[in-house]
Amino acid sequence: MEFINQMEPWFDEREADAVNAYLRSGGWITEFRKTRDFEAAIAGFTGATHCSVVSNGTISLTLALLACGVGPGDEVLVPDYTMVASPNSVQPTGARVVFVDIDRANLCMNFERMVAAVTPRTKAVMLVSINGRAPERIEEYVRFCRERGLYLIEDAAQSLGSCKHGKNLGTFGDIGSFSFSAPKVITTGQGGALVTDNPKLFAAIQKLRDFGREAPGADHYLTMGWNAKFTDLQAVIGLVQMEKLPWRVERKKAIYARYQEQLRGMPGLEWIPTNLQETSPWFIDVLVDATRREALIAHLKSCQVGSRPFYPALHAEPVYARTAERHPVAEEIAQRGLWLPSASKLTDEQIDVVCAAVREFAGK
Ligand SMILES: Cc1ncc(COP(=O)(O)O)c(C=O)c1O
């Protein structure tokens, strides 16, 4: 039997044909019309007014913070449980990361903890909609930030296609950020996108990603800026992937539902509350007994099944080394979480193989 990867991207003849046609058309590969089309497709899908595509979903967050004027002396609130890119994106701005514990109900930043973490130096909140889930009270986060004069940056890297109360994730905050790295629901190899309804923030992002230029190609520099631009070669792939997105969003939900159906009630396995009307789970995530997680991973591997432990609680990682801090929910989740095979291209038969292997382990 072929190994079932925990995650893999999915392309077919359509992307191959699009790349071929683009190269034959004499395009310069660097960003131009296809990138603008890709941005329009993302804005159209999410319902945002503006979209700016950049090199990846980490630099996108840094640019979002810089566009909001975040700098030295400021603090940015970031959940303790997230991909390391979320806090790392703060570092280039010179601001300080303040870790906040998460909510058991959705693994996103806990509202009360966020409120308690605000100081006079707080400039922005980075709300990560982890695995397509968002807080039920997301509007309260928006209201709180507005009332306190804080910028709300949504790190929706894992949430393209998920929504809350009928509104796309990534469009609640001042700026929303997406990632198109290889494991994401759609991918361009690398890539990121920022969406906003705020024309001033959009104008700032456009300059920050293009050397501070007044306009593309115009060598008049209004602000400090870097090169975080995309390429048309990636955009032609992204445009085909965007056409596939609605199907993939539904397929991810169906994959999750099939896993739940087959593993429901299994001792030692806990599900995170998930409303499949709104959430398209990017990864199939379960909580297991922390002391048996490594053994389960090894068992799955022996059955030709890939899996991956959750991210660690970031405050205690050597790079941050804030070992005196305590974020109990993040710490527990990080030790118990496991991602099962989650690619959109997984067949029902493969899901059944994975579930049989998980059940076999439980019976051991
Ligand atoms: C929550 C979150 N934020 C940011 C990123 C960074 O995105 P990229 O890999 O495109 O830089 C990721 C990537 O997995 C992510 O999961």
Side-chain angles (χ1 to χ4, degrees):
M1 197 186 76
E2 214 174 294
F3 193 85
I4 303 174
N5 288 317
Q6 192 275 319
M7 199 57 180
E8 56 185 299
W10 192 9
F11 310 107
D12 60 26
E13 287 304 307
R14 290 185 58 200
E15 284 86 356
D17 290 345
V19 169
N20 211 317
Y22 173 75
L23 287 174
R24 288 181 194 286
S25 75
W28 287 16
I29 296 184
T30 188
E31 70 161 40
F32 192 42
R33 289 202 184 104
K34 294 291 180 188
T35 303
R36 301 290 90 80
D37 292 347
F38 186 42
E39 288 170 338
I42 296 161
F45 181 88
T46 57
T49 315
H50 306 286
C51 175
S52 189
V53 171
V54 295
S55 328
N56 58 62
T58 307
I59 190 75
S60 56
L61 292 167
T62 303
L63 298 190
L65 293 164
L66 290 169
C68 294
V70 172
D74 295 332
E75 290 176 351
V76 179
L77 307 191
V78 180
D80 190 41
Y81 175 72
T82 177
M83 201 254 170
V84 72
S86 315
N88 285 6
S89 71
V90 178
Q91 194 273 344
T93 69
R96 180 172 183 275
V97 170
V98 174
F99 288 113
V100 178
D101 205 358
I102 55 167
D103 219 315
R104 270 201 140 268
N106 46 50
L107 311 191
C108 299
M109 186 185 288
N110 174 280
F111 185 80
E112 285 73 25
R113 300 259 161 216
M114 170 187 79
V115 172
V118 171
T119 74
R121 290 179 296 280
T122 310
K123 180 94 177 194
V125 172
M126 190 178 288
L127 182 63
V128 183
S129 46
I130 204 90
N131 205 20
R133 299 188 186 92
E136 200 49 43
R137 305 145 69 186
I138 191 166
E139 290 86 358
E140 271 184 64
Y141 290 67
V142 176
R143 205 175 314 124
F144 175 79
C145 288
R146 196 173 299 139
E147 283 169 10
R148 299 294 286 264
L150 308 175
Y151 285 99
L152 182 63
I153 310 291
E154 269 186 274
D155 181 354
Q158 306 178 353
S159 306
L160 185 62
S162 290
C163 57
K164 184 52 83 184
H165 307 143
K167 190 170 158 64
N168 273 280
L169 299 187
T171 62
F172 283 89
D174 295 289
I175 305 178
S177 175
F178 298 103
S179 162
F180 306 115
S181 68
K184 296 299 182 309
V185 59
I186 64 157
T187 180
T188 56
Q190 297 290 343
L194 292 171
V195 293
T196 182
D197 289 337
N198 183 320
K200 285 203 180 105
L201 291 177
F202 177 62
I205 292 163
Q206 295 290 89
K207 289 185 200 69
L208 286 165
R209 70 169 194 173
D210 187 18
F211 305 109
R213 278 182 173 133
E214 184 174 29
D219 285 320
H220 183 42
Y221 313 108
L222 300 184
T223 60
M224 180 49 64
W226 296 271
N227 181 359
K229 293 195 292 283
F230 202 57
T231 68
D232 265 17
L233 195 59
Q234 292 169 291
V236 293
I237 295 171
L239 283 163
V240 177
Q241 295 262 301
M242 280 303 285
E243 286 175 21
K244 296 175 174 178
L245 179 60
W247 182 86
R248 288 188 183 186
V249 166
E250 292 310 313
R251 180 61 191 154
K252 290 270 188 191
K253 294 177 181 181
I255 290 172
Y256 188 88
R258 191 175 182 95
Y259 269 108
Q260 274 204 321
E261 193 185 288
Q262 299 220 5
L263 296 176
R264 195 178 294 281
M266 227 195 75
L269 198 98
E270 191 183 324
W271 296 90
I272 297 142
T274 304
N275 176 354
L276 291 178
Q277 302 290 323
E278 302 179 321
T279 296
S280 174
W282 166 58
F283 276 3
I284 305 304
D285 50 2
V286 291
L287 301 176
V288 299
D289 177 348
T291 62
R292 298 193 78 207
R293 185 171 69 174
E294 279 312 310
L296 174 56
I297 292 172
H299 171 76
L300 293 175
K301 198 169 174 197
S302 75
C303 299
Q304 299 283 85
V305 172
S307 60
R308 182 177 161 190
F310 273 21
Y311 307 124
L314 292 173
H315 72 275
E317 284 297 287
V319 62
Y320 288 100
R322 300 192 195 160
T323 42
E325 290 186 17
R326 284 275 87 84
H327 303 286
V329 183
E331 287 165 35
E332 187 212 325
I333 294 296
Q335 283 165 17
R336 293 184 54 205
L338 185 71
W339 289 310
L340 296 172
S342 311
S344 313
K345 71 197 285 194
L346 266 190
T347 62
D348 285 353
E349 292 69 32
Q350 285 176 313
I351 298 168
D352 297 351
V353 166
V354 177
C355 292
V358 174
R359 278 199 305 267
E360 190 183 60
F361 178 79
K364 276 188 169 186

